Amino acid sequence: MNIHNIFKRDFENYEGVRPVNIYLLRFLYFLMFVFVGLDAWKTIITHQGSWDPTRAVAWCVWAAYATLSGFGLLNPLRWLPIVIFMVFYKTLWLIVVAYPMWSAGTLAGSPAEGMAQIFIAAPFISLIIPWKYVFEKYFLISKKKK
């Protein structure tokens, strides 16, 4: 295997997506499955008493997308919407919550600081998403399908 081949589009195996994107996506799915999944499921399973409904939704969403990301290990392109969802909600949270707090000088030392430190990677994760494939597959109307 030639190292240069991981940067060439692979039409035979990955619908024109570069293998490097596939490997990075699988690594991301693994990280989501293990780290987010363990934390979310541990919190859900060990929680005592009644839930604050908003916090419960957040933990359930994290458990659901982390669990579904396990399928991305097997078929990374088919499960791209999970990655796009994750990048979108984290980036949106950074814009809507973290940035105003940071601008006001209230982010440091707040409960949101830890989340901001984790979520700040989301915009960079978007760099491994094969956007050309995403637009062709999810947004363009195919003339082949009738």
Side-chain angles (χ1 to χ4, degrees):
M1 179 175 168
N2 188 345
I3 191 76
H4 298 291
N5 289 340
I6 67 169
F7 296 102
K8 292 182 181 174
R9 294 189 182 281
D10 186 342
F11 292 94
E12 186 176 322
N13 298 313
Y14 303 120
E15 301 182 53
V17 174
R18 292 174 176 88
V20 68
N21 290 91
I22 300 298
Y23 300 143
L24 290 171
L25 283 169
R26 282 193 171 124
F27 182 64
L28 179 61
Y29 289 123
F30 174 78
L31 293 175
M32 291 187 318
F33 184 77
V34 172
F35 292 107
V36 178
L38 285 176
D39 196 29
W41 282 109
K42 178 182 162 198
T43 300
I44 290 170
I45 291 169
T46 62
H47 181 77
Q48 306 257 329
S50 64
W51 282 92
D52 166 58
T54 305
R55 288 183 54 84
V57 166
W59 284 110
C60 290
V61 168
W62 288 330
Y65 95 77
T67 303
L68 291 172
S69 70
F71 293 111
L73 291 166
L74 303 173
N75 198 331
L77 295 177
R78 181 168 288 165
W79 290 88
L80 268 173
I82 294 286
V83 175
I84 295 167
F85 167 76
M86 185 264 307
V87 168
F88 182 68
Y89 92 77
K90 287 182 179 183
T91 303
L92 185 61
W93 186 89
L94 287 168
I95 293 166
V96 173
V97 177
Y99 180 73
M101 290 179 74
W102 177 78
S103 296
T106 59
L107 181 62
S110 76
E113 181 182 24
M115 238 177 196
Q117 290 173 346
I118 295 168
F119 284 14
I120 197 70
F124 300 105
I125 290 171
S126 69
L127 298 174
I128 67 170
I129 296 173
W131 288 108
K132 184 175 190 260
Y133 173 86
V134 169
F135 286 113
E136 288 173 354
K137 205 67 162 176
Y138 298 107
F139 296 106
L140 297 180
I141 299 171
S142 177
K143 295 178 182 176
K144 295 178 185 176
K145 296 178 184 177
K146 285 195 178 184

